[in-house]
Amino acid sequence: MAALPPGGRRAMVATMTDTPSVKRLAAATSAWRAAADDAAVRTRLAVQLSRRPDLADASHLPAIAAMIRDPEIDPAQFERAGWVALGPALPDPADPQAAALWLDRHDLAIALIEETQVADAAAERVLSAVRRWLLLDRKTGAFPRLAAALVRQAAINGGAWPFDAEERAALPATPDFLAAYLPAPPDAAGADFDAPVTRAVAAQYGRWPYPVWQRANAVTLRSLAETLRACGSDAPVLPDRPNILVAGCGTGREAMTLARLAPDATVTAIELSDTSLTVARARCAGQANLHLLRHDLHAVAELGQRFDYIVCSGVLHHLPDPEAGWAALVGVLAPRGAMQVALYSRIARLPVAAARMRLGALMREPVSDDLIRAARRQLIAAPVPSVTDSRDFFSTAGVHDLLFHVHEDCFDVPRIERAIDALGLKLLRFGLPTPEDAARYRELAPHDPLHRDVAAWHAYEMGHPSTFAGMYRMTLTRAS
Ligand SMILES: C[S@@+](CC[C@H](N)C(=O)[O-])C[C@H]1O[C@@H](n2cnc3c(N)ncnc32)[C@H](O)[C@@H]1O
């Protein structure tokens, strides 16, 4: 699951002028104005806009317009910022004809629809009203660019936007626009694993491959060596050509990022789902140091390799026995290796439990795209902060992963502590998602600059229960 931003952040903007994020965004924006052709400068600005899209305003529009089709930049990073910055000019969904005219003339809006998964509720409202008008008033021929962009958007989001019976009835008469509603599903591959949970998980991702992404940044801001150095002087130093494992790589976003982050490394990425791997192979084509394999992480020892760095993000809590899967990974960790693990937090996922309760009977039906759209419709009408404002809420694959997963076994801090001990690991650093969290944690635990005091971050989470909505993220090494 991707990071879930706390809800209602737009409202906070006016009151926040001096936080670390405001300063970082201002610095990144000035740097872009001075050196827009520098890829690292562009990446830095994109990263800042992705961390705090709520801080975007019209002054960021030139930068976003310049970056949106840049093949070296991941456009998902500023998709939300783009819609927030456009927000005051966004047309009224109650007048879809005027909205269609506005969108059709607006290159940045068209590019946002074509290049990124729309993950902004206000934008979705306008765009679905326009889509309905184009269909029912048979206007697609008059707005070919906008109609084509909406077809592309549905391919990206899996057809996540709800629609009504009138639209469904009109679809057969407009076959060219059908794909703006019902994009072709991926060719779901079989899932022939023995363990029932593993089989069910592979089947889910076979139909709804995850995560949804288009392209990765060509430039990374920090090398892997720098990232590990930031974990303290006792963090392992990786060899010049490290052997890296990504366990449960899904559609390959993080494997691709890592392969670029460490160009001298060999990155092996393993995954259960053939469908996810097909997407990954297409997106990561040409990345010579990345090898994508269909392999169950329980059997990772069969690869016959030791890895200097292992990344396993958003996977272990979907295993039949997460600690057993974690142990399998520790079994292939090199003696001076490091491991990065991300796990669901039971506490941060309480809003997900609330959303599931709100869905009531829908939760008991077999999952389909129609069911996902029905669930979205219900939650759009009665939003649940931290669920309906999460990026995952805006695609069918994301909603399946977020709300309808076939198996999840969440963690809390005491369980993580027990696992670290039992697996013979040592915590190097615990990740806090935003500079504001890091600043607050510093106040609570000034003795713990590296975020290693498990009791302190347990206390921090109790006081700030949505902190780890984007998962607990930690870097570990062997205890001895
Ligand atoms: C939520 S996705 C995370 C994907 C990726 N790590 C990321 O964060 O972008 C979980 C992935 O783990 C894969 N997975 C689950 N169990 C697995 C197993 N036993 N072996 C390999 N992959 C597994 C799933 O098929 C799915 O693609």
Side-chain angles (χ1 to χ4, degrees):
M1 182 182 103
L4 313 179
R9 284 194 157 172
R10 281 177 202 219
M12 289 161 48
V13 180
T15 59
M16 294 173 55
T17 52
D18 200 29
T19 66
S21 294
V22 171
K23 288 181 185 159
R24 281 168 204 238
L25 179 58
T29 309
S30 313
W32 180 82
R33 289 200 187 103
D37 54 348
D38 181 326
V41 166
R42 295 199 299 276
T43 304
R44 181 169 323 244
L45 177 55
V47 166
Q48 294 307 329
L49 286 169
S50 140
R51 290 198 178 138
R52 293 298 304 274
D54 55 297
L55 298 176
D57 58 32
S59 72
H60 297 107
L61 287 173
I64 294 171
M67 293 191 289
I68 183 82
R69 296 194 194 269
D70 186 334
E72 296 196 329
I73 298 286
D74 171 5
Q77 295 168 109
F78 44 79
E79 176 274 335
R80 284 194 145 174
W83 290 109
V84 170
L86 280 174
L90 260 193
D92 185 349
D95 185 353
Q97 181 172 2
L101 284 164
W102 185 91
L103 288 163
D104 202 43
R105 277 198 307 264
H106 220 292
D107 287 341
L108 176 56
I110 293 288
L112 285 168
I113 301 167
E114 284 178 347
E115 299 284 332
T116 71
Q117 175 203 294
V118 173
D120 180 275
E124 180 178 332
R125 259 193 311 280
V126 177
L127 295 173
S128 13
V130 167
R131 181 180 70 166
R132 184 174 195 280
W133 178 76
L134 290 175
L135 175 74
L136 298 185
D137 282 36
R138 296 176 175 257
K139 295 290 186 199
T140 53
F143 293 90
R145 187 167 88 129
L146 179 55
L150 290 169
V151 167
R152 172 84 194 117
Q153 176 56 214
I156 294 173
N157 70 32
W161 299 346
F163 54 89
D164 61 28
E166 212 181 331
E167 289 168 284
R168 189 175 284 275
L171 281 174
T174 321
D176 288 352
F177 202 46
L178 179 69
Y181 283 80
L182 303 171
D187 293 330
D192 54 356
F193 295 93
D194 290 338
V197 168
T198 307
R199 200 162 52 238
V201 169
Q204 165 181 333
Y205 289 108
R207 174 61 186 80
W208 287 278
Y210 182 93
V212 174
W213 66 293
Q214 307 309 309
R215 53 185 190 261
N217 286 331
V219 171
T220 48
L221 295 179
R222 264 217 297 205
S223 69
L224 187 53
E226 283 168 326
T227 302
L228 279 173
R229 264 200 300 279
C231 292
S233 52
D234 53 345
V237 177
L238 299 187
D240 290 343
R241 298 183 173 278
N243 198 24
I244 296 180
L245 174 72
V246 178
C249 67
T251 56
R253 180 181 56 190
E254 95 195 317
M256 180 66 161
T257 305
L258 209 53
R260 285 183 162 171
L261 182 70
D264 294 327
T266 299
V267 179
T268 301
I270 60 172
E271 167 57 45
L272 285 183
S273 148
D274 273 326
T275 319
S276 298
L277 281 172
T278 302
V279 176
R281 289 195 176 106
R283 297 278 151 77
C284 305
Q287 189 66 35
N289 64 338
L290 171 58
H291 308 287
L292 295 149
L293 305 177
R294 184 176 192 247
H295 199 90
D296 182 348
L297 77 71
H298 296 98
V300 67
E302 290 171 12
L303 294 176
Q305 296 188 49
R306 289 270 165 168
F307 296 94
D308 303 300
Y309 191 63
I310 298 178
V311 175
C312 187
S313 167
V315 180
L316 294 176
H317 45 244
H318 295 314
L319 301 184
D321 177 348
E323 280 83 353
W326 199 345
L329 297 179
V330 174
V332 295
L333 185 66
R336 287 285 297 151
M339 169 181 268
Q340 204 188 54
V341 172
L343 296 166
Y344 276 168
S345 151
R346 191 186 315 282
I347 292 172
R349 285 182 68 80
L350 287 175
V352 173
R356 287 176 176 152
M357 297 263 290
R358 194 164 287 182
L359 290 176
L362 285 185
M363 289 305 301
R364 291 187 288 281
E365 290 183 23
V367 186
S368 65
D369 284 352
D370 277 334
L371 181 85
I372 289 173
R373 281 186 285 269
R376 291 194 77 245
R377 181 192 294 287
Q378 209 162 304
L379 292 174
I380 287 168
V384 178
S386 195
V387 171
T388 43
D389 51 8
S390 80
R391 183 175 295 282
D392 281 340
F393 184 67
F394 294 84
S395 69
T396 50
V399 170
H400 199 307
D401 198 68
L402 179 67
L403 294 170
F404 291 103
H405 207 288
V406 293
H407 179 79
E408 58 186 49
D409 181 359
C410 298
F411 277 71
D412 54 26
V413 175
R415 181 174 174 188
I416 292 177
E417 192 177 18
R418 284 195 301 276
I420 290 176
D421 281 349
L423 294 168
L425 292 171
K426 168 177 154 185
L427 179 67
L428 287 172
R429 191 179 182 104
F430 203 80
L432 285 160
T434 66
E436 283 76 15
D437 284 306
R440 279 192 292 265
Y441 183 80
R442 238 187 339 269
E443 276 175 31
L444 177 86
H447 63 281
D448 184 29
L450 290 173
H451 311 165
R452 290 184 180 182
D453 182 342
V454 179
W457 46 264
H458 188 34
Y460 184 81
E461 184 178 33
M462 290 301 151
H464 304 87
S466 66
T467 306
F468 301 110
M471 294 191 279
Y472 297 120
R473 290 177 189 276
M474 63 213 107
T475 308
L476 307 131
T477 188
R478 288 185 184 282
S480 53

